[in-house]
Amino acid sequence: MFEIIEKQINIDLPLGDPLHYMVCQIPNHLGLADFSCRLANPKNKWEEVKAVFELVATGDGNLKKCHFLALPEAAISGEYVDSALAFIKERFRPNTVTFFGVDHVPLVKYREFLERYPNDNPEALASVIQDLDSGDSNELPTNWSITAVKENDGRLRVFMQAKSHPYVGEEHLDSLHNLYRGKVFPLFHCQPNSLHFMSLICFDYIYRDLYQSNISAIVDKANHLFFNSRQQLDLLMVLECNPKPEHTAFRDVVNGFYGEYMQYTPGVRNTITVFCNTSAETSGLPKKESFSFGHSSVLFHKSHKILTAGTPEYQVDDFNGLPVCRLRFGAATRLYYFSLPMLHEFDPRTTRAPLKVQGIFKTVNNSWQRIED
């Protein structure tokens, strides 16, 4: 069952000022081995990710304001996780949250990573130990992600979660070649600013079974927060390596999440949903020519309306008639840097825009360069 565990973190976010986000739409070059999906050249990929980390750590201009950094599903190989966390601990500014996906590792290896940070992951570690004890599952592939939080005093907190969607083929019920099915998902509560956020991995956003829907569990939890403490879910980050980012299944969930057709959902009414996908240069999957990687996006409720617009790099629309405003990016390899105020602080009498694109970066000679206005 999908279990949401609340985690307290000490992050000082600016009151009254927008929060800044960077979404890294970078390619994955994948290789399939033993029904596991792994990066074909882990060292090269780490160098690419490290260049992004350097850009954020250097913080030229307003990049020093970056609060949330998101990389897609399977963005880093398991053998470079320690290098990534060491970089974040040594170079990133306090009050920074970094999301990144890790390619498949055996379940027993995933347990070893959890055991390095037992104070932050006791529930996930207990769940994995119980699953390992219950059967012959040591080599079961595990698709997982990390949320690395550098708190206001410089302390690094590391939270891990495994993807709950159990099938290698995503849309195909391939019961002979299962992935490990994660059961514990953190809900982060920032102190002293009272901001709540979660992250999911791709199909975790839409996966349903006979007993429970992941997304309905999130809505119920957010509503519980609202009715008990007048708090809400502020940010939902979805990490993807998805060849069909605008699949009907995703659109249907967005419609139900923001549509409020069946029940009043104040806990998610002001939630920002960010989809961080890989770029069109992603390779290693069969029949890639028929896929459409890219198109990371930002969605929020239509009550925070922004004007429709279009540029070569992005467009603003309503996702084909849904009750949302959507910032939809292109498919190229890009870093998207934008700002959003905490939506529940909006004053409808002002003209302050609910979303502002602060900068878009492209690769030039193996380095990142801001695209001029």
Side-chain angles (χ1 to χ4, degrees):
M1 300 293 285
F2 190 91
E3 183 179 6
I4 300 174
I5 303 295
E6 292 188 43
K7 300 287 185 179
Q8 303 286 334
I9 56 175
N10 297 318
I11 296 288
D12 283 330
L13 298 172
L15 294 175
D17 291 333
L19 302 182
H20 288 70
Y21 305 76
M22 178 172 280
V23 169
C24 304
Q25 188 169 278
I26 56 178
N28 281 349
H29 302 293
L30 304 171
L32 298 176
D34 299 326
F35 296 98
S36 292
C37 193
R38 297 173 184 154
L39 294 169
N41 194 325
K43 186 176 186 299
N44 285 356
K45 186 59 187 294
W46 164 236
E47 293 299 325
E48 294 173 6
V49 171
K50 188 177 178 181
V52 176
F53 282 7
E54 287 280 359
L55 183 73
V56 175
T58 303
D60 291 337
N62 66 351
L63 282 177
K64 62 177 62 69
K65 294 182 177 181
C66 184
H67 304 108
F68 295 97
L69 173 65
L71 289 89
E73 179 182 10
I76 294 177
S77 171
E79 62 189 281
Y80 287 96
V81 165
D82 291 335
S83 300
L85 293 176
F87 190 105
I88 293 170
K89 182 178 182 179
E90 296 169 7
R91 300 282 307 280
F92 275 22
R93 293 170 181 80
N95 303 310
T96 303
V97 179
T98 306
F99 309 91
F100 60 89
V102 186
D103 65 0
H104 292 183
V105 299
L107 183 57
V108 67
K109 184 69 173 178
Y110 178 56
R111 184 189 66 184
E112 293 176 9
F113 280 108
L114 289 169
E115 289 173 340
R116 298 178 195 178
Y117 302 93
N119 294 333
D120 293 328
N121 303 278
E123 300 87 0
L125 179 57
S127 176
V128 169
I129 290 175
Q130 181 181 14
D131 291 336
L132 285 169
D133 290 342
S134 65
D136 185 16
S137 56
N138 284 8
E139 299 302 314
L140 196 63
T142 305
N143 188 348
W144 56 298
S145 70
I146 288 178
T147 301
V149 180
K150 191 164 185 181
E151 295 187 318
N152 49 23
D153 62 355
R155 177 190 177 195
L156 181 66
R157 308 278 303 277
V158 179
F159 302 90
M160 304 176 185
Q161 62 191 74
K163 190 174 183 178
S164 71
H165 194 278
Y167 301 113
V168 172
E170 296 285 16
E171 296 181 26
H172 305 285
L173 303 185
D174 189 5
S175 60
L176 296 179
H177 304 110
N178 285 354
L179 300 178
Y180 176 67
R181 180 172 177 174
K183 303 171 183 66
V184 176
F185 297 81
L187 167 64
F188 298 97
H189 175 53
C190 298
Q191 293 287 3
N193 304 94
S194 190
L195 181 104
H196 290 80
F197 65 90
M198 289 186 67
S199 71
L200 299 173
I201 306 174
C202 200
F203 266 48
D204 284 353
Y205 183 73
I206 67 169
Y207 175 61
R208 291 176 168 85
D209 61 21
L210 294 176
Y211 306 102
Q212 188 182 47
S213 163
N214 291 358
I215 206 68
S216 66
I218 293 172
V219 172
D220 289 344
K221 181 65 174 181
N223 285 340
H224 179 80
L225 282 173
F226 180 83
F227 291 123
N228 284 275
S229 61
R230 287 303 184 264
Q231 296 172 345
Q232 61 189 325
L233 180 64
D234 298 284
L235 170 67
L236 182 62
M237 182 69 67
V238 184
L239 311 181
E240 301 180 278
C241 181
N242 188 351
K244 299 187 229 177
E246 297 175 313
H247 193 282
T248 302
F250 280 86
R251 187 179 182 278
D252 289 345
V253 175
V254 169
N255 193 22
F257 190 83
Y258 289 105
E260 301 176 355
Y261 295 127
M262 300 301 295
Q263 60 180 338
Y264 187 59
T265 51
V268 299
R269 182 176 52 204
N270 294 315
T271 300
I272 302 164
T273 303
V274 179
F275 292 96
C276 177
N277 198 14
T278 55
S279 73
E281 296 178 36
T282 296
S283 63
L285 296 178
K287 301 181 180 179
K288 176 186 177 298
E289 61 278 359
S290 63
F291 295 159
S292 58
F293 288 93
H295 305 295
S296 299
S297 59
V298 183
L299 297 96
F300 46 88
H301 193 267
K302 66 178 181 180
S303 59
H304 307 294
K305 193 167 186 178
I306 55 179
L307 297 177
T308 57
T311 77
E313 294 292 337
Y314 65 84
Q315 66 184 43
V316 178
D317 59 23
D318 62 0
F319 205 165
N320 299 322
L322 298 190
V324 299
C325 293
R326 179 179 68 156
L327 175 65
R328 176 185 183 266
F329 295 110
T333 298
R334 294 287 189 268
L335 307 181
Y336 301 112
Y337 190 50
F338 55 92
S339 61
L340 281 160
M342 296 173 67
L343 293 181
H344 60 275
E345 294 181 349
F346 281 167
D347 183 343
R349 297 168 295 178
T350 71
T351 57
R352 181 171 58 174
L355 184 151
K356 183 177 181 180
V357 177
Q358 301 282 350
I360 300 176
F361 297 80
K362 64 180 180 180
T363 54
V364 178
N365 297 326
N366 296 322
S367 64
W368 292 100
Q369 184 179 84
R370 187 187 295 262
I371 297 175
E372 298 297 331
D373 291 340

